[in-house]
Structure formats: C-alpha cells, structure tokens
Amino acid sequence: MKVVVGHLYPDYLNIYADRGNMAVLAARAAWRGIELEVRGIGLGDRLVPGEHDLLYIGGGQDREQALIAPDFAGRATALEEALLGGAAALAVCGGYQLFGRYYRDRGGVELPGAGFFDLHTVAGERRMIGDVLLSCSLEPGVERTLAGFENHAGRTILGPSAEPLGRVVAGFGNDGESGYEGCRRGRALGTYLHGPLLPRNPWLADWLLAQALAHSTGGEPPELEPLPDDLEAAAHEVSAERAHERGGRFD
Ligand code: GLN
C-alpha cells in the first residue's frame, strides 16, 4: 500500500518543528509496511487534484504567511477539488488560518485564504500562548483528547457551516472565548496545536493515515494494526497535565 503526501510550502511554513508531523506519519506507515512518499509543493508548483492522498500545511509567522498567501489562495479551486475528491488534510496554525477565507494580520493587512473552511481570522493585540488540551470526536460516539502547544495572535471565528475540531478542555483554542478549537470538514482538519502535534497524539496520526489510505485505495479507511505507543502516551499525558496546570495565558 502507498500513501502520497503533498507538503505545502515546507520552506516557509514550518514553525515549532511542524515538519515533525511528516516524520511521524512516515514512521507509522513504515512500521506497518506502508510506503509513504512526501512531495513538496512550493510557490508556483502545480497542485493536481487526485495526486495526493493527504495534504499538509504547517504554521508560520505573519511574514511567511504573507509570502505564500496569494499563491495558496490561487489554488482554492484545485484544493477544493482534491479534498472533495476524498484526500485528507492537516493544516496547522498559520496554515489552518489560510484554509479559511482570510487572515487579517497585526498590521491590518488582509491575507487571502483558500476558503475551504468557513472561517476567518483576525490578529489580536495579545498572543495566545500555552499548552492546550482538547476533547474531540472524529467518529460517532468516540471521544478522545488532543494535547499540544499554541502560540497565535489570530482569533479564528467559525462560520455557520463550520464544524470545530474539538472542545477546549484547557487553553485558548480558536479565539479564547468560544470554547472550541480548530475546524473539520470531512477528512480535512485544521488546528492551532503545535508541538509538533502528531508525536504526542498517535491516534490522530493513525486516523489521518487511514483516511489517506482510503483515498489511495478508493475504499473505506482501514483498521490499522496497533503500535506500541507507550512513549507517545506518556508524552500525551505530560502535555495534558501541563495544559491543566498552565494552559492559556495571554502574552
Ligand atoms: N502568524 C499567525 C498568528 O500569529 C500564525 C502563527 C503560527 O503559525 N504559530 O496567529
């Protein structure tokens, strides 16, 4: 079995070691004998709907976001076709913001987004920084936690058709007020959680792999054989504990 991942703007959006999410997906695929190929998609490169089983975009400062936003917004149609065609996606922080309609930065400049998520983001005066813990349900009746680290000025406002990724247990989340974090549309997930996210949330890495395999095979997401995730579980607990102790402080 093979999974092809399209990594959007890897040279620009890679703050807080978000690239580590790619390493986790590659390792968890390899441990199961699944081939995983990562193809970078940079400025001006073509995004061919159907070519990738999963699309990934990391986080970045306002400056880096401004450098790629027009190029990314110009791919809105191709991105929508790829995702409505069943590809999975993970968009983190700055990349998550640009999956929405726009991000208005600290200088009041409005960066265009791809508009796949029904949301918009406006930078506030104080950054929302700290450990964060969420409660998520990606499958009916299955509630799990996600732990990570957030650092953003952006306040993300979900529109009427947007589904949050999860409920904030500790930390700020999308805007520090709504009690929700992230966004989900089908197999596409957006979140503020850095860390990187996937090493301490192995269930989510496997969920994304299974969705990507479903796109690759044209079938249903497979049940992946469990891996010995003791270390990952311990990292999750440390992160969750920190979120309870010191999640969410304005800076
Ligand atoms: N520049 C955006 C903000 O400050 C995103 C930051 C990030 O990707 N960590 O909200």
Side-chain angles (χ1 to χ4, degrees):
M1 289 189 285
K2 176 172 182 178
V3 166
V4 176
V5 179
H7 187 173
L8 288 153
Y9 312 107
D11 298 334
Y12 290 90
L13 297 181
N14 175 42
I15 198 168
Y16 282 113
D18 285 340
R19 194 186 296 270
N21 290 321
M22 291 294 95
V24 169
L25 289 175
R28 297 184 75 83
W31 290 332
R32 294 172 168 118
I34 300 165
E35 185 186 350
L36 185 139
E37 179 189 348
V38 180
R39 298 175 185 168
I41 304 169
L43 287 172
D45 292 343
R46 288 190 66 216
L47 170 55
V48 179
E51 176 183 334
H52 307 94
D53 303 308
L54 184 145
L55 290 167
Y56 173 70
I57 184 169
Q61 308 284 11
D62 292 13
R63 180 182 172 283
E64 284 77 24
Q65 287 175 281
L67 292 172
I68 62 96
D71 185 271
F72 185 52
R75 301 172 189 279
T77 305
L79 181 75
E80 182 176 61
E81 189 178 334
L83 298 179
L84 295 186
L90 176 64
V92 177
C93 203
Y96 161 43
Q97 294 171 338
L98 295 179
F99 252 63
R101 283 194 296 284
Y102 64 84
Y103 168 55
R104 190 176 302 140
D105 69 16
R106 294 289 297 274
V109 174
E110 206 162 280
L111 306 181
F116 184 72
F117 288 153
D118 175 18
L119 59 85
H120 67 275
T121 302
V122 178
E125 277 311 304
R126 304 173 73 186
R127 300 192 66 81
M128 294 187 271
I129 300 174
D131 298 279
V132 53
L133 184 66
L134 308 181
S135 174
C136 291
S137 178
L138 295 185
E139 314 297 342
V142 179
E143 194 89 15
R144 287 179 283 203
T145 55
L146 282 178
F149 185 82
E150 60 185 327
N151 180 344
H152 53 104
R155 275 75 171 151
T156 293
I157 308 301
L158 299 184
S161 68
E163 174 190 344
L165 173 62
R167 184 176 48 78
V168 176
V169 174
F172 288 104
N174 279 335
D175 56 6
E177 294 170 8
S178 66
Y180 292 113
E181 198 287 332
C183 189
R184 178 202 183 175
R185 184 178 171 192
R187 290 175 172 163
L189 308 180
T191 180
Y192 274 113
L193 273 62
H194 290 287
L197 171 68
L198 296 182
R200 65 187 83 179
N201 299 288
W203 73 262
L204 183 64
D206 288 349
W207 185 88
L208 286 165
L209 267 182
Q211 303 305 312
L213 282 166
H215 179 265
S216 172
T217 61
E220 288 303 309
E223 275 298 316
L224 297 174
E225 64 178 289
L227 293 172
D229 287 334
D230 299 343
L231 194 56
E232 292 81 353
H236 182 91
E237 283 320 303
V238 167
S239 192
E241 197 48 48
R242 277 205 304 246
H244 282 298
E245 287 165 7
R246 64 178 199 186
R249 69 183 191 282
F250 281 109
D251 201 15

